[in-house]
Amino acid sequence: MDIENILKKYSKDKSYLLEIMHDVEKSKENKNLDLNDLKVISKYLDINLSAAYGTATFYSMFSLKPQAKYVIMVCSSTVCHIKKSYDILLFLKSLLNCDDDNLSKDGLFAVSEVGCLGLCDISPSMMINNQVYGDLDENKIKQIVGELRNGSNGA
Amino acid sequence: MEAMAHKNLKEPIIITTYQTQCLEDYINDGGYETLKNVLTKYKPNEIIEQIKASELLGRGGAAFPTGIKWDFTAQIKADHKFVVCNADEGEPGTFKDRWILEHKSYSLIEAMSLCAYSVGGDKGYIYIRGEYTESINSIRKALKEAYDNGFLGENILKSGFSFNIELRRGDGSYVCGEETALIESIEGKRAFPRFKPPFPGIKGLWGYPTVINNVETFANIVPIIKNGADWFKNYGTEHSSGTKLYSISGSVNKSGIIEANLGVTLKELLDAAQGMKNSKTFKCALIGGASGGFVYKDELDLPLSYETLKKAGKTLGSGAVLFLSEDDNEESLLKNILTFFKHESCGKCTPCREGYPKLIAMYEAFLENKIKAEDIMKLADVMFKTSLCALGQSVRMPLETYLSRKYKKL
Ligand SMILES: Cc1cc2nc3c(=O)[nH]c(=O)nc-3n(C[C@H](O)[C@H](O)[C@H](O)COP(=O)(O)O)c2cc1C
Ligand code: SF4
Ligand code: FES
């Protein structure tokens, strides 16, 4: 769906800003908002471009840069910390040959550390795009990454 | 997710049946009967009196009496009033709201409508953190069904009462869960907390009176109105009525949600979680999430209620219980907590923005024996007294409960 069609779903109510940004981001090939999107959205809702920009950059889930196909969020909060999430993170980064920006060598994966995902009962946990994964260990991670690479996993 | 009622509980209040993912079952189970009854037979203030009498305390962490909160808003005359459900659940170690959103969506909507009727609200928002995809889907479905069947919208059940609820998705920021930051976020702004007072109940969304409650708080409303305040007060302790959904995690055999009477002991929860994993011994538990406190072996029999924990210098907070064994390291957990807060600080006020990086440096120096525990606590105290919201204030609790134990005199 293009941005004009997304806007049609919403009335000109400023409280739809985050909702619209969510939808637009999801509709884009590289899952990111760009300045032009923000211009169109802010004009539609009659807010300043700078305010829309401020909101888009405040929330960590929005991205103004093109995103990798698979965005991996590894929880590093309390419970996962106790369950050795740091080892999971290191293993994942080395498995994917991540550079200093935590982007995999093939450009397919981006790895980030995030706060509690509310998956503490299956800690250590992570999310890839909208999919949740828990009780992680090295074997499980290898399997998940393998499936994503050969397309047999729908995340 | 595993969810169960503690065996000491005759009948759970929230974790009742699992089949409520379908409107038909909910209605067969007596769902929306309470709303129908209230709209036809009760005055708004009768409902508020009932909630007041139940002595229900807010389950989002701060334990403010819900009935009093509703009454503030009910007393004010305004063109619009809002009812907001805080489903941003971000306190590390807490996952009970997710269970409620996925299993009790109909009851939440009914509760928000009851709240709106009592305080004179005309519009509601459910603000769910964006990562909770399933919760979002489940609430979306329940909202649609409510509209399709006349439980939401104009002239609900032909009573003359109108109320609308919309869903909003949050976006990966812990501070968004703070009520005024959440309101800013619904308004489409950056989630910077506002200075209080005025409290949201007086001046909230777009300056209008706004009741904002946690998911679990709302989950108690229909049962209370259906069964009465006295029934509710049979649960829990003298000053903490009702049950609590404890989020159990860490080095135990069975993680998950346990609904138990407020006042259940840590020992009882540990038993319900089938003991420590690999037969290790219990070392301590972090209760209340990252902004909670450590509870040690000699406190295993401490009743987990709001008043007892407060008296012991701790907090029940969101009810998160992270069990640590002899092999787990609280020292590094504390560093993890400091780093978490530093990362989540919104930067609006100086004590929190500048305080956390400094605290981390001090904590490292402390671990190398270069400074004393008192030095850290001095800064934590200043942050507690001067930060704008609880994100800058709450680190004093984990620091104090750990350091005072390990280094006795502070
Ligand atoms: C940094 C911070 C994060 C918070 N996160 C949440 C949250 O995720 N969910 C919640 O219900 N309350 C959260 N709160 C508490 C809310 O500000 C508010 O007290 C609560 O929503 C009121 O509802 P209750 O009275 O039903 O507990 C947070 C507070 C702070 C300071
Ligand atoms: S205490 Fe921290 S999170 Fe709260 S307003 Fe100040 S800087 Fe922001
Ligand atoms: S602490 Fe990692 S999911 Fe909650």
CSV table of all heavy atoms in Angstrom, one decimal, chain B residues 175 192-193 344-350 352-353 356 387-393, ligand 2:
chain,number,residue,atom,x,y,z
B,175,VAL,N,10.3,4.5,28.9
B,175,VAL,CA,9.7,5.7,29.6
B,175,VAL,C,8.3,6.0,29.2
B,175,VAL,O,7.5,6.6,29.9
B,175,VAL,CB,10.6,7.0,29.4
B,175,VAL,CG1,10.5,7.5,28.0
B,175,VAL,CG2,10.3,8.0,30.5
B,192,PHE,N,8.2,12.4,26.5
B,192,PHE,CA,8.9,13.1,27.6
B,192,PHE,C,7.8,13.2,28.8
B,192,PHE,O,6.8,13.7,28.5
B,192,PHE,CB,9.3,14.5,27.3
B,192,PHE,CG,10.6,14.6,26.4
B,192,PHE,CD1,10.8,15.6,25.6
B,192,PHE,CD2,11.6,13.6,26.6
B,192,PHE,CE1,11.9,15.7,24.8
B,192,PHE,CE2,12.7,13.6,25.8
B,192,PHE,CZ,12.9,14.7,24.9
B,193,PRO,N,8.2,12.7,30.0
B,193,PRO,CA,7.2,12.9,31.1
B,193,PRO,C,7.0,14.4,31.4
B,193,PRO,O,7.8,15.2,31.1
B,193,PRO,CB,8.0,12.3,32.3
B,193,PRO,CG,8.9,11.3,31.7
B,193,PRO,CD,9.4,12.0,30.4
B,344,GLU,N,17.6,4.1,28.9
B,344,GLU,CA,16.2,4.5,28.8
B,344,GLU,C,15.9,5.9,29.3
B,344,GLU,O,14.8,6.4,29.0
B,344,GLU,CB,15.3,3.5,29.6
B,344,GLU,CG,15.4,2.0,29.1
B,344,GLU,CD,14.9,1.9,27.6
B,344,GLU,OE1,14.1,2.7,27.2
B,344,GLU,OE2,15.4,1.0,26.9
B,345,SER,N,16.9,6.5,29.9
B,345,SER,CA,16.6,7.9,30.3
B,345,SER,C,16.3,8.8,29.1
B,345,SER,O,16.9,8.7,28.1
B,345,SER,CB,17.9,8.5,31.0
B,345,SER,OG,17.8,9.9,31.2
B,346,CYS,N,15.2,9.6,29.3
B,346,CYS,CA,14.7,10.3,28.1
B,346,CYS,C,15.5,11.6,27.9
B,346,CYS,O,15.5,12.2,26.9
B,346,CYS,CB,13.2,10.6,28.2
B,346,CYS,SG,12.9,12.0,29.3
B,347,GLY,N,16.3,12.0,29.0
B,347,GLY,CA,17.2,13.1,28.9
B,347,GLY,C,16.5,14.5,29.1
B,347,GLY,O,17.2,15.5,29.0
B,348,LYS,N,15.3,14.5,29.6
B,348,LYS,CA,14.6,15.7,29.8
B,348,LYS,C,15.2,16.5,31.0
B,348,LYS,O,15.3,17.7,31.0
B,348,LYS,CB,13.1,15.5,30.0
B,348,LYS,CG,12.3,16.8,30.3
B,348,LYS,CD,10.8,16.6,30.2
B,348,LYS,CE,10.1,17.8,30.6
B,348,LYS,NZ,8.6,17.7,30.3
B,349,CYS,N,15.5,15.7,32.1
B,349,CYS,CA,16.0,16.4,33.3
B,349,CYS,C,17.4,16.0,33.6
B,349,CYS,O,17.9,14.9,33.3
B,349,CYS,CB,15.1,16.3,34.4
B,349,CYS,SG,15.0,14.6,35.1
B,350,THR,N,18.2,16.9,34.2
B,350,THR,CA,19.6,16.7,34.4
B,350,THR,C,20.0,15.6,35.4
B,350,THR,O,20.9,14.8,35.1
B,350,THR,CB,20.2,18.1,34.8
B,350,THR,OG1,19.7,19.1,34.0
B,350,THR,CG2,21.7,18.0,34.7
B,352,CYS,N,18.8,12.8,36.1
B,352,CYS,CA,18.7,11.4,35.6
B,352,CYS,C,19.7,11.3,34.4
B,352,CYS,O,20.4,10.3,34.3
B,352,CYS,CB,17.3,11.2,35.2
B,352,CYS,SG,17.0,9.7,34.2
B,353,ARG,N,19.6,12.3,33.5
B,353,ARG,CA,20.5,12.2,32.3
B,353,ARG,C,21.9,12.2,32.6
B,353,ARG,O,22.7,11.3,32.1
B,353,ARG,CB,20.2,13.4,31.4
B,353,ARG,CG,20.9,13.4,30.0
B,353,ARG,CD,20.7,14.7,29.3
B,353,ARG,NE,21.2,15.9,30.0
B,353,ARG,CZ,20.5,17.0,30.4
B,353,ARG,NH1,19.2,17.0,30.1
B,353,ARG,NH2,21.0,18.0,31.0
B,356,TYR,N,23.0,8.9,35.6
B,356,TYR,CA,23.3,7.5,35.3
B,356,TYR,C,24.7,7.2,34.8
B,356,TYR,O,25.3,6.2,35.3
B,356,TYR,CB,22.2,6.9,34.4
B,356,TYR,CG,20.9,6.5,35.2
B,356,TYR,CD1,19.7,7.1,35.0
B,356,TYR,CD2,21.0,5.5,36.2
B,356,TYR,CE1,18.6,6.8,35.8
B,356,TYR,CE2,19.9,5.2,37.0
B,356,TYR,CZ,18.7,5.8,36.8
B,356,TYR,OH,17.6,5.5,37.5
B,387,SER,N,14.9,14.1,40.5
B,387,SER,CA,14.6,13.7,39.1
B,387,SER,C,13.1,14.0,38.9
B,387,SER,O,12.3,13.9,39.8
B,387,SER,CB,14.8,12.2,38.9
B,387,SER,OG,16.2,12.0,38.9
B,388,LEU,N,12.8,14.2,37.7
B,388,LEU,CA,11.4,14.6,37.3
B,388,LEU,C,10.4,13.4,37.4
B,388,LEU,O,9.3,13.5,37.9
B,388,LEU,CB,11.4,15.2,35.9
B,388,LEU,CG,10.0,15.6,35.3
B,388,LEU,CD1,9.4,16.7,36.2
B,388,LEU,CD2,10.2,16.1,33.9
B,389,CYS,N,10.8,12.2,37.0
B,389,CYS,CA,9.9,11.1,37.0
B,389,CYS,C,10.7,9.9,37.7
B,389,CYS,O,11.8,10.0,38.0
B,389,CYS,CB,9.4,10.7,35.7
B,389,CYS,SG,10.5,9.6,34.7
B,390,ALA,N,9.9,8.8,38.0
B,390,ALA,CA,10.4,7.7,38.7
B,390,ALA,C,11.6,7.0,38.0
B,390,ALA,O,12.3,6.2,38.7
B,390,ALA,CB,9.3,6.7,39.0
B,391,LEU,N,11.8,7.2,36.8
B,391,LEU,CA,12.9,6.6,36.1
B,391,LEU,C,14.2,7.0,36.7
B,391,LEU,O,15.2,6.2,36.8
B,391,LEU,CB,12.9,6.8,34.6
B,391,LEU,CG,13.7,5.8,33.7
B,391,LEU,CD1,13.1,5.7,32.3
B,391,LEU,CD2,15.1,6.2,33.6
B,392,GLY,N,14.3,8.3,37.1
B,392,GLY,CA,15.5,8.8,37.7
B,392,GLY,C,15.6,8.5,39.2
B,392,GLY,O,16.7,8.5,39.8
B,393,GLN,N,14.4,8.2,39.7
B,393,GLN,CA,14.3,8.0,41.2
B,393,GLN,C,14.5,6.6,41.6
B,393,GLN,O,15.1,6.3,42.7
B,393,GLN,CB,13.0,8.5,41.7
B,393,GLN,CG,12.7,9.9,41.4
B,393,GLN,CD,11.2,10.3,41.5
B,393,GLN,OE1,10.4,9.4,41.7
B,393,GLN,NE2,10.9,11.6,41.4
C,2,SF4,S1,13.9,11.3,35.4
C,2,SF4,FE1,14.9,10.6,33.5
C,2,SF4,S2,13.3,9.6,32.3
C,2,SF4,FE2,12.3,10.9,33.9
C,2,SF4,S3,12.0,12.9,32.9
C,2,SF4,FE3,14.0,13.0,33.9
C,2,SF4,S4,15.5,12.4,32.3
C,2,SF4,FE4,13.4,11.7,31.6
